[in-house]
Amino acid sequence: MAGFLKVLFRNLMQGPSTDPFPLGETFTPQRLRGKVHVNPNLCMGCGVCRNSCTAGAIDIRQLEDGTGFKITIWQNACCLCASCRHYCPMGAISIDNDWHSAHPAEEKYDKVEQQIIRYEPCSHCGALMRPLPLERIKALYANDESLDPKLLRTLCPKCRQIEDAKRNSCKLPEAPRKAVPANDDAVTPASAAPTA
């Protein structure tokens, strides 16, 4: 009996050893996969995240007026595989460690993240396009410090390609000319030969 009281007294002094959740905060690992978010400043609407989403929780649709697109992430359907974040070429998808996703069934359509991303006109031709993020432009043109990344960002892919071609164009070397013999003993063409 004394051994039992000793263990009981020690446990009372140390406090509970179980997790206090839901009555208090609990430990959340930093790398825990929780809710998916999209950064509208980085998203290009390429659709890689939609195609890699195992659960089909990501939808990208063009706006009816053609001025942009809408990306929708259904948090309720997400299986937390993080393949969207892994394959996003722009790094626009992020996953936080908020694992509080339990909700009543009637709230399932409220668990959605939606971003409307508008196109901008090209500064040269005026065509509507999605400008590349400034960080991506700086990375692409890191070797040429004479270029203005903010200006390049406002060019559509075709105009940027034309500007790159103009900047990188080079003159081809002229073909060497054949040496013409200087003496009169040179062979003349058959049409210029004297007739007998």
Side-chain angles (χ1 to χ4, degrees), residues 77-124:
C78 179
C79 65
L80 308 176
C81 66
S83 63
C84 56
R85 178 184 64 186
H86 179 75
Y87 290 110
C88 180
M90 294 293 152
I93 301 283
S94 62
I95 299 178
D96 63 17
N97 61 356
D98 183 9
W99 51 270
H100 300 91
S101 59
H103 58 274
E106 59 267 12
E107 293 180 10
K108 67 181 177 180
Y109 296 113
D110 297 334
K111 302 295 180 185
V112 64
E113 173 159 340
Q114 220 168 38
Q115 298 287 345
I116 294 177
I117 299 163
R118 300 276 179 192
Y119 295 137
E120 295 178 17
C122 172
S123 61
H124 277 195

Side-chain angles (χ1 to χ4, degrees), residues 106-175:
E106 59 267 12
E107 293 180 10
K108 67 181 177 180
Y109 296 113
D110 297 334
K111 302 295 180 185
V112 64
E113 173 159 340
Q114 220 168 38
Q115 298 287 345
I116 294 177
I117 299 163
R118 300 276 179 192
Y119 295 137
E120 295 178 17
C122 172
S123 61
H124 277 195
C125 67
L128 289 177
M129 56 94 187
R130 178 73 180 127
L132 279 173
L134 192 58
E135 297 81 21
R136 183 63 65 182
I137 287 282
K138 286 179 180 177
L140 287 173
Y141 295 95
N143 295 334
D144 196 347
E145 295 178 2
S146 65
L147 299 174
D148 183 13
K150 292 181 181 176
L151 175 65
L152 289 172
R153 185 178 182 273
T154 62
L155 298 177
C156 70
K158 283 185 180 179
C159 292
R160 195 166 51 246
Q161 188 176 23
I162 290 170
E163 289 300 315
D164 285 347
K166 286 178 186 176
R167 191 175 55 258
N168 295 325
S169 65
C170 60
K171 292 184 178 180
L172 295 175
E174 291 185 19

